[in-house]
Amino acid sequence: MKVRVRVLPLGKDLNLKVGANLRSALIEAGVPLDSPCGGQGTCLKCKVQVSGVTEKLTELEREKLSAEELDHGWHLACQVTVEESGEVRLPEIEVSRAKAGFGLLGEEIPLQPNVRRRHFELSSPTINDQRADWNRLAEYLEASEPVPVRAELSLLQEISERLREGNFQGEAVLVGDEVVALDPPDVAEDVLGVALDIGTTTLAAGLVDLDTGKIVALDAELNPQITFGADVISRIMYTQDGSEKRENLQKEVIKGLNQLLLRMCRSAKRERERIFEATVVGNTTMLHALLGLNALHIALAPYVGGLNRALCVPAEELGLQIHRRGRVHILPSIASFVGADTVGVILATRLHQTKVPRLAIDIGTNGEVMLATNDGVLTASTAAGPAFEGGRIKFGMRAIKGAISSFQATPSVDYTVIGGATARGICGSGLIDLVAELFRAGVLDRKGRMLLPSEAGASLATDLAARVRVRGEEREFVIFKNEEREVTLTQQDVRELQLAKGAIRAGIELLMKEAGISTDDIQEVLLAGVFGNYINREKAVTLGLIPPFPLEKVHFIGNGAMDGALRALLSLEERRWADEISAQVHHIELSGRPDFEETFLRCLALGN
Amino acid sequence: MKVRVRVLPLGKDLNLKVGANLRSALIEAGVPLDSPCGGQGTCLKCKVQVSGVTEKLTELEREKLSAEELDHGWHLACQVTVEESGEVRLPEIEVSRAKAGFGLLGEEIPLQPNVRRRHFELSSPTINDQRADWNRLAEYLEASEPVPVRAELSLLQEISERLREGNFQGEAVLVGDEVVALDPPDVAEDVLGVALDIGTTTLAAGLVDLDTGKIVALDAELNPQITFGADVISRIMYTQDGSEKRENLQKEVIKGLNQLLLRMCRSAKRERERIFEATVVGNTTMLHALLGLNALHIALAPYVGGLNRALCVPAEELGLQIHRRGRVHILPSIASFVGADTVGVILATRLHQTKVPRLAIDIGTNGEVMLATNDGVLTASTAAGPAFEGGRIKFGMRAIKGAISSFQATPSVDYTVIGGATARGICGSGLIDLVAELFRAGVLDRKGRMLLPSEAGASLATDLAARVRVRGEEREFVIFKNEEREVTLTQQDVRELQLAKGAIRAGIELLMKEAGISTDDIQEVLLAGVFGNYINREKAVTLGLIPPFPLEKVHFIGNGAMDGALRALLSLEERRWADEISAQVHHIELSGRPDFEETFLRCLALGN
């Protein structure tokens, strides 16, 4: 028997045998796990943080791991026997070792961050060399910097003490051309950066050691703004009552980010004060909310935001709790509904450098479609709505423990629940599986109508027929039921999925039409998004979410937006690419096209 | 009979006949007074603010001037009959009309300020042109800017409303490459800048209309930091008890500047919020105090400050109440005791471009000496002390109403009191006159000893001899005495002046020695400083404050430091010159020279 184990931060799913040794299984699957002792339990380097997978602790683990580590689910991979599905989180991923296919920075990126450490050894002042402290340091640094260096007042206010404490030697930390910190010599303090992805539903963060390029923590959190509305339009509308509403929205997301950073730094045993830069992607509305900008005109035709360019803001001005002189670099957006998250996906997938037609789809609350050809990249935004993230679905939930994440109707009803627990709801990938399988099995017709046994005819398996019922006015399909609870898929749920599916598929169709190419021309299809890896490719085709591509052309890239933010954190060249992408990618406003409505209505139908 | 009238902001002193018409007298003296009606009292353009000069108001003035104007001493120059000495302040000076000799910007400066107004007319967003608001504006401006434009978050937070209020047209105000304000179209709001000179004793400010280059107000105020010590060393020592002391010092000077700006703007009927940039000069310690930097190491050998480079700081960070996104540009300094004020004097006098030897002396609490030759500019700082500003002098006071500002001993004792009032004390120019005249008359000997009649011998005039007396242990010279009060010059006062004089003269001697030139080689001598214009050149030579230059070589330039700050406000090229001066001027540390002590002791003696 096999269970599914997700490996984080890679976002890679493995099907592992129950009873397998976790360390061996991970290494066999190519996961870069550090375990120089070969699994003897002596090097203690194969620590992983586990959720599900096992419920046992060995004697060795009890002895070698701290109480805090045990509390947080840490195990030694060599001691773990796989028992059930779940998640395994690796402590550190060295970028250069994270190869293509893991969905996270699938290639080596030369380390060229905006945050740099510079060692200095200054001559001490004498009566014959009375240069002021800042002049002395700046001249030293400028001997090998391309441009003059700068400093904020707060650093200048402490420079005289700092230089004398270190006897005029030490380490300067620069963000761009600005000296932001002075460390004493011989004290190896961290230089960290963080990549942030601000989604409508989820905040994700990747903490990076900028000396090594290692990702030292990767974590996510619900966007607390969700209490002000599940989608971007409802949040924009919330802010229109007064500017304090805009501040509320801003405060909530900052609070969420600060909590996330605090938790990550605690678990990685790092200091938030040593994070010198944050790179940020997100959809345009979320970036407006983060910055306290009025996003009203994003929601009103002709859909124009306040800012699509990249922006650098002092972290202190936003209230982001990193180093007091740390900077926040917001990546540029493309249009009001094609944000910096899409720029991140393009950056991560190299669509902007492609020679052959390639298609990428980032599925979240909005679905962004990107089509690259030799003539450049086209993008479109489609209003997928929150269905894929569990929104407006009766038993919808995020992909956490208790969520039905995959489903099959034949030969008999079977499904997987995350964490191996009792089913509590349905996450995005489960929803796609359900609708695709029920359509294939004849429970749903092409128009998405749920058929009663009498309507479906004799071909419908008895087992399936028995699960369709009518409650009140509405038809529903019972997936799970025990004495305490049940989980069903309603007719309305199917309609919600159709809207989402139809929007995305219409975007794909119209971009192909605009570029003058057909399904056959496309050489690669990339599925991105927080839950991208969970989608069953075959069922996405069955459903008609994507055109009938050969499955070998379809790849999952995980959270490509986060990859883009990480790239911009690790390399200034990537950051320049991002600006170029923002300026050069051609956005197609679907609602402005005369053929949009017809295409959308046609794409609502299930199947290919 | 003639009285002395000082014309501000020019700093020019005129000797006017009692009974003269003020308008005619000013025009005759070349003062650029606007009065197109020719003195008929109809154009109302010759408004001046008067202190002293007259106590009368004509019927026409009562009728034409507002109650507030009358309260603040405004008159129509054509209606004023000169009755007594005092001050006349002109409302506006157009830079291009303020010619050499007035001591303020003595040449035309091409207007090329860092603060610029840019008209914009943007195309309105459409479904086919969905550029975000900031992108739209930035692209428009960048079509004719040399570098990409920037904006702070607070501007971006209001850009959507601002652009729509003006129907996508208006005026952008830029400071450097940053858009700091968006004005609606067809509303001619001011674009102002202010030049600030932060002296140990005095804060001076010049408010400039940057559209026209006109100086619209010029004012000065006691530096409120004076309560923490009269000289820079005592203020540095005050701050060493804790960082809150440094904050106190910073707060005091900011408070003083804000009061000064408020007063100036009120009198000039301008808004502080329309000041977009301040340029700042001052001695290095005062600039450290302004910025909250620790100046301790300025006071300790080898006398090294925290910062001598130019610095640009948001006004909001300093608490300076100008536009909320206004910037403060601190001019660079040369050394710990040769500050941005000296850079300002060099800029104003063009010493850095001179081909022939020229000497400049800026006399304040410290005396900076600058010697320019074909080989470059040498500077030295001399610890003149506060004597010239009335400090440590028994009856010392600033040059305000009641101060004895000039003195002669022969043929009989005579002196001038500012404002024509009863004498209350002695200001710097009066002190120089007194010591020079008493030395020439034989009351003081070459060593500065005050002689009793018995010691002075028969050549001493009886009138003078009778004024010398001994009080307690100390000899003193009685200048004025009535039933209520008296004003005297004490032996100790003479000693204080000798220290100041000796320090400055030693600086001149040592720079000439360093440059290998003699008194005869020097083609021009420029005296700068707040009270520079009041010094009697002949008496400065008699005293030995300066070497025996022919008087025609000696010129007064008024507050040259302020001129430099104004230049940097009006022209970016001047600002670049300032940086070059700071980097290239060669500072001579007098205390490091073996010949300093001998020279200083020799220079203490009176006479040449």
Side-chain angles (χ1 to χ4, degrees):
Chain A
M1 189 189 153
K2 290 197 170 188
V3 291
R4 187 156 71 166
V5 173
R6 188 169 210 205
V7 184
L8 297 172
L10 302 177
K12 184 175 175 69
D13 290 338
L14 304 177
N15 288 315
L16 301 184
K17 272 194 190 143
V18 168
N21 175 273
L22 182 61
R23 177 190 158 275
S24 306
L26 290 175
I27 288 173
E28 201 179 315
V31 173
L33 188 73
D34 209 1
S35 63
C37 77
Q40 296 177 39
T42 55
C43 73
L44 309 180
K45 289 203 169 172
C46 66
K47 279 184 204 169
V48 291
Q49 199 176 14
V50 158
S51 158
V53 185
T54 184
E55 297 214 312
K56 297 195 184 106
L57 271 173
T58 65
E59 274 308 307
L60 187 77
E61 286 174 324
R62 283 187 213 280
E63 189 187 324
K64 298 294 186 186
L65 298 175
S66 70
E68 202 196 9
E69 283 174 326
L70 294 175
D71 267 2
H72 287 90
W74 287 90
H75 284 260
L76 293 172
C78 64
Q79 301 294 304
V80 175
T81 302
V82 175
E83 291 167 356
E84 56 179 44
S85 58
E87 287 186 355
V88 171
R89 185 180 296 275
L90 305 178
E92 288 192 350
I93 304 291
E94 195 167 340
V95 172
S96 63
R97 293 175 62 192
K99 295 297 174 204
F102 289 123
L104 192 79
L105 297 170
E107 62 176 299
E108 196 166 338
I109 299 175
L111 204 56
Q112 187 206 343
N114 194 35
V115 180
R116 292 162 303 128
R117 190 200 287 275
R118 284 282 312 273
H119 180 73
F120 62 84
E121 293 183 28
L122 310 179
S123 53
S124 295
T126 67
I127 201 81
N128 294 315
D129 177 7
Q130 295 180 313
R131 285 176 298 162
D133 294 332
W134 168 245
N135 294 41
R136 189 174 300 271
L137 176 65
E139 284 170 24
Y140 181 95
L141 296 173
E142 285 166 1
S144 50
E145 290 288 327
V147 293
V149 296
R150 297 179 303 122
E152 283 215 353
L153 199 49
S154 62
L155 183 112
L156 296 172
Q157 285 168 346
E158 57 190 47
I159 192 172
S160 297
E161 285 86 345
R162 287 270 170 285
L163 289 186
R164 281 164 186 77
E165 279 163 15
N167 199 22
F168 289 89
Q169 298 183 16
E171 304 266 353
V173 179
L174 284 90
V175 179
D177 59 357
E178 185 189 335
V179 178
V180 297
L182 296 173
D183 295 335
D186 311 321
V187 177
E189 288 205 77
D190 286 331
V191 172
L192 306 173
V194 69
L196 302 172
D197 174 20
I198 302 182
T200 311
T201 309
T202 308
L203 306 175
L207 186 65
V208 178
D209 183 324
L210 292 173
D211 282 321
T212 62
K214 278 185 184 174
I215 297 169
V216 295
L218 206 61
D219 206 346
E221 181 65 82
L222 208 63
N223 186 339
Q225 289 180 339
I226 213 148
T227 56
F228 303 115
D231 56 43
V232 298
I233 300 301
S234 54
R235 291 199 207 153
I236 291 172
M237 290 312 155
Y238 164 78
T239 63
Q240 297 310 312
D241 289 354
S243 66
E244 78 283 2
K245 294 286 178 74
R246 235 199 277 171
E247 273 172 41
N248 287 348
L249 209 60
Q250 186 183 26
K251 274 183 201 155
E252 280 303 311
V253 69
I254 298 285
K255 197 176 75 183
L257 291 171
N258 282 333
Q259 283 167 352
L260 188 58
L261 290 181
L262 182 64
R263 196 173 68 204
M264 289 169 84
C265 285
R266 275 192 187 150
S267 84
K269 298 203 190 327
R270 308 283 178 141
E271 301 287 333
R272 278 195 292 183
E273 292 68 33
R274 298 299 297 181
I275 303 175
F276 292 101
E277 192 175 47
T279 51
V280 183
V281 297
N283 66 57
T284 312
T285 303
M286 287 303 103
L287 297 182
H288 276 62
L290 174 73
L291 296 171
L293 267 61
N294 189 353
L296 174 64
H297 301 282
I298 287 181
L300 303 178
Y303 316 115
V304 168
L307 169 82
N308 285 343
R309 287 190 172 195
L311 184 71
C312 185
V313 188
E316 210 169 28
E317 195 172 346
L318 289 183
L320 193 69
Q321 287 163 5
I322 60 174
H323 187 276
R324 64 184 288 215
R325 284 181 290 270
R327 316 291 292 187
V328 179
H329 181 85
I330 318 284
L331 270 75
S333 296
I334 293 169
S336 286
F337 290 101
V338 184
D341 45 2
T342 302
V343 170
V345 172
I346 296 174
L347 200 58
T349 55
R350 291 301 189 245
L351 282 191
H352 60 296
Q353 296 172 330
T354 203
K355 300 282 176 215
V356 297
R358 292 164 74 214
L359 178 72
I361 308 158
D362 190 9
I363 306 171
T365 310
N366 281 295
E368 291 90 16
V369 183
M370 296 143 260
L371 179 60
T373 71
N374 213 6
D375 296 332
V377 182
L378 301 177
T379 64
S381 169
T382 67
F388 292 132
E389 281 165 332
R392 297 207 203 109
I393 302 299
K394 187 172 181 186
F395 285 93
M397 65 185 287
R398 287 195 306 142
I400 54 174
K401 194 167 173 177
I404 294 172
S405 61
S406 71
F407 177 87
Q408 62 179 62
T410 54
S412 63
V413 167
D414 197 6
Y415 53 87
T416 318
V417 179
I418 295 179
T422 309
R424 292 194 296 123
I426 309 163
C427 70
S429 61
L431 184 66
I432 289 172
D433 275 17
L434 270 160
V435 178
E437 283 287 288
L438 295 182
F439 168 60
R440 197 167 53 79
V443 179
L444 298 172
D445 69 9
R446 203 171 165 74
K447 290 186 172 172
R449 190 157 170 262
M450 197 175 282
L451 302 179
L452 296 175
S454 58
E455 299 163 332
S459 64
L460 193 60
T462 323
D463 175 36
L464 289 172
R467 289 172 181 256
V468 179
R469 69 182 188 198
V470 180
R471 275 291 150 95
E473 300 270 297
E474 199 175 33
R475 297 171 178 199
E476 55 186 27
F477 179 87
V478 181
I479 308 159
F480 167 79
K481 181 176 181 162
N482 69 10
E483 283 152 17
E484 285 169 7
R485 67 169 97 125
E486 56 179 32
V487 177
T488 65
L489 178 80
T490 69
Q491 178 67 66
Q492 185 53 36
D493 294 342
V494 177
R495 296 298 179 214
E496 289 289 341
L497 183 72
Q498 281 179 282
L499 290 174
K501 175 261 173 194
I504 288 173
R505 181 63 184 269
I508 297 171
E509 297 293 331
L510 290 169
L511 285 195
M512 290 199 300
K513 187 172 170 188
E514 182 73 24
I517 63 171
S518 70
T519 304
D520 292 344
D521 296 323
I522 292 177
Q523 300 302 305
E524 189 178 40
V525 179
L526 300 166
L527 296 181
V530 173
F531 86 116
N533 285 7
Y534 280 108
I535 296 178
N536 182 307
R537 290 176 292 183
E538 197 176 345
K539 285 168 189 161
V541 170
T542 303
L543 187 67
L545 177 65
I546 57 177
F549 295 111
L551 291 189
E552 64 273 18
K553 283 189 179 175
V554 183
H555 301 288
F556 299 115
I557 61 160
N559 185 353
M562 170 58 88
D563 275 19
L566 283 164
R567 281 174 184 270
L569 185 63
L570 288 167
S571 163
L572 280 173
E573 187 172 355
E574 298 285 327
R575 207 174 285 190
R576 283 189 290 268
W577 275 119
D579 291 334
E580 222 161 283
I581 288 167
S582 153
Q584 293 184 353
V585 163
H586 189 52
H587 169 62
I588 307 292
E589 177 62 43
L590 297 182
S591 66
R593 292 178 65 101
D595 53 358
F596 173 70
E597 194 172 330
E598 175 267 318
T599 309
F600 174 62
L601 291 174
R602 182 163 46 78
C603 291
L604 287 176
L606 301 180
N608 246 309
Chain B
M1 190 188 150
K2 288 197 170 188
V3 291
R4 186 155 73 165
V5 173
R6 189 167 210 208
V7 184
L8 297 171
L10 304 177
K12 184 177 175 67
D13 290 337
L14 304 177
N15 286 316
L16 302 183
K17 270 195 194 143
V18 168
N21 175 272
L22 181 61
R23 176 190 158 277
S24 306
L26 290 175
I27 288 175
E28 199 179 317
V31 172
L33 188 74
D34 210 1
S35 63
C37 77
Q40 295 177 39
T42 55
C43 73
L44 308 179
K45 288 204 168 171
C46 66
K47 278 184 205 169
V48 291
Q49 200 176 15
V50 157
S51 158
V53 185
T54 183
E55 299 214 311
K56 295 192 184 110
L57 273 173
T58 66
E59 273 309 306
L60 186 79
E61 286 173 326
R62 283 187 213 280
E63 188 188 325
K64 298 293 185 186
L65 298 175
S66 70
E68 202 195 16
E69 284 174 326
L70 294 174
D71 268 2
H72 287 89
W74 287 90
H75 284 258
L76 294 172
C78 65
Q79 301 294 304
V80 175
T81 301
V82 175
E83 291 167 354
E84 55 179 44
S85 56
E87 287 186 354
V88 172
R89 185 178 297 275
L90 306 177
E92 287 191 351
I93 304 291
E94 194 168 340
V95 172
S96 62
R97 292 173 65 191
K99 294 297 176 204
F102 288 125
L104 194 79
L105 297 169
E107 62 176 300
E108 197 167 336
I109 299 175
L111 205 56
Q112 187 205 346
N114 193 35
V115 180
R116 291 162 304 128
R117 189 201 288 275
R118 286 280 312 273
H119 181 72
F120 62 84
E121 292 182 30
L122 310 180
S123 54
S124 294
T126 67
I127 201 80
N128 294 314
D129 176 7
Q130 295 180 313
R131 286 175 297 161
D133 295 331
W134 168 245
N135 294 40
R136 189 175 300 272
L137 176 65
E139 284 169 24
Y140 181 95
L141 296 173
E142 285 166 1
S144 51
E145 291 287 326
V147 294
V149 297
R150 298 180 302 123
E152 285 213 352
L153 198 49
S154 62
L155 184 112
L156 295 173
Q157 285 168 345
E158 57 190 47
I159 191 170
S160 296
E161 285 86 345
R162 287 271 169 287
L163 290 186
R164 282 166 184 77
E165 278 163 14
N167 199 23
F168 289 89
Q169 299 184 14
E171 304 265 352
V173 179
L174 284 90
V175 179
D177 58 357
E178 185 190 336
V179 178
V180 297
L182 296 174
D183 296 333
D186 311 321
V187 177
E189 287 205 78
D190 286 331
V191 172
L192 306 172
V194 69
L196 302 172
D197 174 21
I198 302 182
T200 312
T201 307
T202 307
L203 306 175
L207 186 66
V208 178
D209 182 325
L210 292 172
D211 281 321
T212 61
K214 278 184 185 176
I215 296 169
V216 295
L218 205 62
D219 206 344
E221 181 63 82
L222 208 62
N223 186 339
Q225 288 180 339
I226 213 149
T227 56
F228 302 115
D231 55 44
V232 296
I233 301 301
S234 54
R235 289 198 210 156
I236 292 172
M237 290 312 154
Y238 163 78
T239 62
Q240 297 311 311
D241 290 353
S243 66
E244 79 281 3
K245 295 285 180 73
R246 235 198 278 171
E247 274 172 41
N248 286 349
L249 210 60
Q250 186 182 23
K251 275 183 201 154
E252 281 301 312
V253 69
I254 298 285
K255 197 176 72 182
L257 291 172
N258 283 333
Q259 283 168 351
L260 188 57
L261 290 181
L262 183 64
R263 196 172 68 204
M264 287 169 85
C265 285
R266 275 192 187 150
S267 84
K269 298 203 189 326
R270 308 284 178 141
E271 300 289 332
R272 280 194 291 185
E273 293 67 32
R274 297 299 297 181
I275 302 176
F276 291 101
E277 191 175 48
T279 51
V280 182
V281 296
N283 66 58
T284 313
T285 303
M286 288 302 101
L287 297 181
H288 277 61
L290 174 73
L291 296 170
L293 268 61
N294 188 351
L296 174 64
H297 300 282
I298 287 180
L300 303 177
Y303 316 116
V304 167
L307 170 82
N308 286 344
R309 287 189 174 197
L311 184 71
C312 185
V313 188
E316 211 167 29
E317 196 173 345
L318 289 183
L320 194 69
Q321 289 162 4
I322 61 175
H323 187 275
R324 63 183 289 215
R325 285 183 289 271
R327 315 292 292 188
V328 179
H329 180 85
I330 317 284
L331 271 75
S333 295
I334 293 169
S336 285
F337 291 102
V338 184
D341 45 2
T342 302
V343 170
V345 172
I346 296 174
L347 199 59
T349 55
R350 291 299 191 247
L351 282 190
H352 60 296
Q353 296 172 329
T354 203
K355 300 283 176 213
V356 295
R358 291 164 75 212
L359 177 74
I361 308 159
D362 191 10
I363 305 172
T365 310
N366 281 295
E368 291 90 15
V369 183
M370 295 143 261
L371 179 61
T373 69
N374 212 5
D375 296 332
V377 182
L378 300 177
T379 63
S381 168
T382 67
F388 291 133
E389 280 165 332
R392 296 207 202 108
I393 302 298
K394 188 172 182 186
F395 285 95
M397 65 185 285
R398 289 194 305 141
I400 54 174
K401 192 168 175 177
I404 293 172
S405 61
S406 71
F407 177 88
Q408 65 180 59
T410 54
S412 62
V413 168
D414 198 6
Y415 53 87
T416 318
V417 179
I418 296 178
T422 307
R424 290 193 299 123
I426 308 164
C427 70
S429 61
L431 184 66
I432 289 173
D433 274 18
L434 268 160
V435 176
E437 283 287 288
L438 295 182
F439 168 60
R440 197 166 57 76
V443 178
L444 298 172
D445 70 9
R446 203 167 165 74
K447 290 185 172 171
R449 191 158 168 261
M450 197 176 282
L451 302 179
L452 297 175
S454 58
E455 299 163 332
S459 64
L460 192 60
T462 322
D463 176 36
L464 291 171
R467 287 169 182 258
V468 179
R469 68 183 189 198
V470 180
R471 272 292 149 94
E473 298 270 298
E474 199 175 33
R475 296 170 180 200
E476 55 186 29
F477 179 87
V478 182
I479 308 159
F480 167 78
K481 182 175 181 164
N482 68 10
E483 282 152 19
E484 284 168 8
R485 69 169 97 123
E486 58 180 28
V487 178
T488 65
L489 177 80
T490 70
Q491 178 66 67
Q492 185 54 35
D493 294 343
V494 177
R495 296 299 178 214
E496 290 289 341
L497 182 73
Q498 281 180 282
L499 289 173
K501 175 260 174 195
I504 288 173
R505 181 63 184 269
I508 297 171
E509 297 292 329
L510 290 169
L511 285 196
M512 289 200 301
K513 189 172 167 186
E514 184 73 23
I517 62 170
S518 69
T519 304
D520 291 345
D521 296 324
I522 292 175
Q523 301 302 305
E524 190 177 41
V525 180
L526 300 166
L527 297 181
V530 174
F531 84 116
N533 285 6
Y534 280 107
I535 297 178
N536 182 307
R537 292 177 289 182
E538 196 175 345
K539 282 165 191 163
V541 171
T542 303
L543 188 67
L545 177 67
I546 56 175
F549 295 112
L551 292 190
E552 65 273 17
K553 284 188 179 176
V554 183
H555 302 290
F556 299 115
I557 60 159
N559 185 354
M562 170 57 88
D563 275 20
L566 284 165
R567 281 172 183 272
L569 185 63
L570 288 168
S571 164
L572 280 172
E573 186 173 356
E574 298 285 326
R575 209 175 282 192
R576 284 189 289 269
W577 276 118
D579 290 335
E580 222 163 283
I581 289 167
S582 154
Q584 293 184 353
V585 163
H586 189 51
H587 169 61
I588 306 292
E589 178 61 45
L590 296 182
S591 68
R593 292 177 65 101
D595 54 358
F596 172 69
E597 193 173 331
E598 175 267 319
T599 310
F600 174 62
L601 291 175
R602 183 161 46 77
C603 291
L604 287 175
L606 301 180
N608 246 309

